[in-house]
Every structure is written in C-alpha cells, then in structure tokens.
Amino acid sequence: MSDSPSNALTTWVEVPKNSDFTIYNLPFGVFKNKKLSPRIGTAIGDKIVDLSILDQEGFFSDMFLPEGIFLKESLNDLIELGKVTTKKIRERVQDLLLTENEKLRDHSARGKVMLNRKEATMLMPVKIGDYTDFYSSMEHATNVGKMFRDPENALLPNWKHLPVGYHGRASSIIPSGVPVIRPKGQTKDPESGSPVFGPSKKLDFELELAFITGKSTKLGDSVSTADAEDYIFGFVLFNDWSARDIQAWEYVPLGPFLGKSFASSISPWVVTLEALEQFKVESPMQEPEVLDYLKCEKSHSFDIQLEAYIQPEDEKASKVCTSNFKNMYWNVAQQLAHHTVNGCNINVGDMMASGTISGQEPDSFGSMLELSWNGKNAVKLESGTERKFIEDGDTVIMKGFAEKDGVRIGFGEVKAKVLPAK
Ligand code: MN
C-alpha cells in the first residue's frame, strides 16, 4: 500500500479501493438510464454526478454557461467552450465533492445529482469528425516489420523521422459494450495463393489510447509541439479491431482499409489532460535527432499502465498483455504537430489514436498478431484454453490506470464481444 500524500484530497462519496474514478480523476462522459435522456456526467466511485442537475440547481451560475450545455448527446459543445471553462467546471465539481464541503452533500437535490453508475448506459462521448491512427510504438512497428518484411531491417527508413499514421474511419467507432461483428472480406488463400472471400480468420485487437482534440485550427495553420497540449481535451482507451488476413492482402501500396474500418471500440469516460498531468514522465530518447518542428521543450509522455484480457464464452477473463503508454517513441505533441504541419485543419472532437502500444517483453505486446507471432505460437489462457487470434464469442477487455504517490486515476474499461460474421 502506498502512503497518501499530505495534501491528499478526500471526498464524502464512498470510493472503493482501487477505483479508477477517484476525486483526482473526474472524467467527462455521456450517459442515459431508464428514466433519463442522454446527458453529461462525471464519474466518482460507483456514482455518476449528473452535471445537468448541478447546473439546474445553480452550482455553475457564476460561470454563465450556455443553457442546457449538459443536456447533450455528446461532449462536443461543452469541449468547444474551451479548456479554461471545462477546467473550471471540473474544479468546481471536485470542490463540491470534498469531504469538508457541505453545499452538495447536504443539498436537497443530492439524490437527483448522484446516480448509480451500474444503472446507467454509457454512450459515445463525442461525435467524432475525423479519426487518425498513428503507429508510434517502436516495439510494435519492429515486431510487425520482422513478421511481414525483413527481420534485419524491420523499421522502414522513415520511421524514426516522423510519426507514421493513416486516416481511419470515424463512422464505425463504437462505445464499450457494443458487440463487434466478425468482418468478411477478401484474403489470400495461403495454399493456392489465390484470393478468396469469407469471414476473417485472423481477427485481432490492438491495445491503444486515443486523444480527443479540444480546439480547432484554420486550414493552413499548424500546431507547434509547444502549443499541442492546448488542443488536447482528454484520452480514452481504444481497441483498434483488426482483421490481419484482410489487412495483409489489401494494404499494399496505400495502407490499412477494410481490415481496420469495420470497428474500433472506445472507453466511454474521457479522462482529461489535467487529470493526467501528474503522471507525466520523461519521453524516450530519440536517436537520430528529429527535425526542428518535432522537437519538444517539455515531456508529453504519460505513465499509464495498460492491460488486455480475453474472456472466452462461459470462462473468466484472462490477462494476455500488460503494457504502458510511456513506451511510445512518438508522443502526443509530436503526433499533433506532425498531423498539422502541412496545414491540415483539425476540429473539436477529432480522435487520434496512438497505434498499438507494445513494450519490450513478450507479455507486453499489444496485439494477438505479436503475442502469437502471427499464429505460430498459441497464447494460453488461465483456463487452459488457447488462442492465436480472437474467436466468435470471445470478449476483449482493455483497462488502463495511472498510480503515483497514493493517487490513482483510471479509464475504467473498453469491452466488446465478438459475434459471428453476418
Ligand atoms: Mn491501430
């Protein structure tokens, strides 16, 4: 057990030990329940704070927020108010939840404000305009390069000079809990070498984190690494579902397409950059030196532990991977600076995913492609069941949390069950 810091915050809300949703976190999300229409809330312990009721009861009246700003089906309008405002809202809620603050604790509306998380359905937190997926883990890029190209020259010549990425599909990004249908497509039959059509035989997950942009730019403008964090609202867990057999056949020469676009799952609570600030760690050394527009004055890397689990039907979940966001070679500021260096504009609610986050150890690889080395080695689950890729009926669960000096915050989970092809 770690010691609590002397300036520790305490809350009158009961927060279970090892909860991701402590007084230090207070992420934003969109929820509904049997009685309530979609609205914006924050999570603490096993509760949701209904921000729309707090607003109605006048707890934000000095902030002059637009009417009904929390009665929305996405966070976009709230995020668009800007970091100064969303930061104030989060700090106000934090203050109201402190042990010594009686304003909400003893308020007659407390029962309407504090709802049970279990009874809520979490919805997509943002309306995503554009989605980009990077490829920023050196270990992942090296592993894939070894398997698909040349073990001696696993990293392509550009890899250490720019954060490689591609434009993905936003329409098929779904919140945790929504099942994923096994995709069908064209693959190359390993025996005949001819193309065949059918359900993917190599369905995989990719363990990633994604950030949501909180500020737009004008076409032609660029964001520097120094300013990048002003444009990042927060993060979610991101499972970039991948059909390896479809991907391997289709990706030359223009990159990922149908092997990726059938689904990506995200965790529903957006953890703010402010909450993650204290978990910053030094970024990895970059050698060779990068071009000036990619250089960073400060660190933009975060110590966030990430885990992936497989739960076959009627079995319990087995952990198959433990990785860490701090392993990323390219950081989020570099990703955003590179993305906009050509003048490409970004909008509020764009999603930029990290790419698979693999570490150096074999149990830190963030995909089945790497864990099973493209199906060569079976991955043994706790029950003895073996997996090379993801089977129908399997549920894939990802978790992420940061812990330091007795302070813990986390993302909850992103979870999805795989259903047979249609
Ligand atoms: Mn990916």
Side-chain angles (χ1 to χ4, degrees), residues 77-353:
D77 291 350
L78 175 69
I79 295 173
E80 193 133 26
L81 297 179
K83 243 183 211 293
V84 172
T85 305
T86 53
K87 194 167 171 264
K88 266 194 209 154
I89 292 169
R90 200 175 144 267
E91 285 167 357
R92 173 64 48 84
V93 176
Q94 188 174 53
D95 187 51
L96 287 170
L97 298 173
L98 292 178
T99 306
E100 59 273 21
N101 191 330
E102 79 288 353
K103 283 184 196 144
L104 176 62
R105 189 191 68 201
D106 300 343
H107 197 280
S108 57
R110 173 173 156 177
K112 264 167 60 184
V113 172
M114 307 298 293
L115 306 167
N116 290 329
R117 228 157 28 85
K118 267 192 185 142
E119 288 160 24
T121 304
M122 297 307 298
L123 307 171
M124 275 294 284
V126 280
K127 195 169 179 329
I128 300 165
D130 283 298
Y131 152 52
T132 301
D133 194 23
F134 285 96
Y135 192 56
S136 290
S137 152
M138 183 163 72
E139 288 76 14
H140 173 69
T142 304
N143 286 339
V144 174
K146 277 185 194 167
M147 272 182 268
F148 287 121
R149 285 184 300 269
D150 175 7
E152 300 303 310
N153 299 289
L155 284 185
L156 287 168
N158 62 359
W159 199 90
K160 285 191 169 181
H161 296 283
L162 54 89
V164 169
Y166 71 96
H167 290 295
R169 184 81 195 161
S171 67
S172 53
I173 301 180
I174 49 178
S176 180
V178 174
V180 168
I181 300 159
R182 179 177 298 274
K184 291 184 291 196
Q186 199 180 126
T187 60
K188 192 169 110 177
D189 182 59
E191 255 110 75
S192 67
S194 305
V196 290
F197 179 81
S200 168
K201 294 186 176 109
K202 291 187 173 179
L203 181 59
D204 199 359
F205 60 79
E206 289 190 334
L207 176 61
E208 307 192 17
L209 274 175
F211 67 84
I212 292 160
T213 51
K215 195 172 164 182
S216 58
T217 61
K218 281 203 213 80
L219 187 66
D221 285 355
S222 305
V223 177
S224 67
T225 57
D227 292 341
E229 289 195 0
D230 294 342
Y231 291 80
I232 297 175
F233 177 72
F235 290 81
V236 292
L237 296 167
F238 192 94
N239 180 354
D240 185 21
W241 293 96
S242 302
R244 300 302 180 191
D245 42 0
I246 297 173
Q247 184 185 355
W249 173 232
E250 75 175 355
Y251 88 106
V252 184
L254 287 186
F257 190 31
L258 306 186
K260 297 280 189 176
S261 62
F262 58 95
S264 307
S265 303
I266 62 168
S267 56
W269 290 107
V270 183
V271 176
T272 63
L273 191 65
E274 290 76 40
L276 289 166
E277 187 62 40
Q278 62 175 313
F279 302 102
K280 274 207 178 129
V281 286
E282 218 176 298
S283 297
M285 250 287 268
Q286 293 185 317
E287 180 62 45
E289 199 178 23
V290 296
L291 292 178
D292 281 346
Y293 81 96
L294 290 169
K295 284 184 184 148
C296 297
E297 291 280 312
K298 291 188 287 185
S299 169
H300 304 280
S301 296
F302 301 87
D303 183 356
I304 301 172
Q305 188 173 325
L306 299 164
E307 299 170 342
Y309 298 76
I310 298 174
Q311 182 174 19
E313 198 122 56
D314 306 319
E315 284 185 26
K316 60 179 192 151
S318 286
K319 197 196 291 187
V320 292
C321 161
T322 305
S323 188
N324 196 302
F325 193 43
K326 71 181 178 193
N327 294 336
M328 303 296 290
Y329 189 85
W330 294 102
N331 65 53
V332 289
Q334 292 176 316
Q335 289 171 340
L336 198 52
H338 186 65
H339 203 301
T340 57
V341 77
N342 66 344
C344 170
N345 52 330
I346 56 166
N347 291 303
V348 169
D350 287 350
M351 184 160 278
M352 305 201 181

Side-chain angles (χ1 to χ4, degrees), residues 5-11 23-24 94 98-100 407:
S6 53
N7 58 345
L9 304 178
T10 58
T11 171
I23 185 77
Y24 299 96
Q94 188 174 53
L98 292 178
T99 306
E100 59 273 21
V407 173

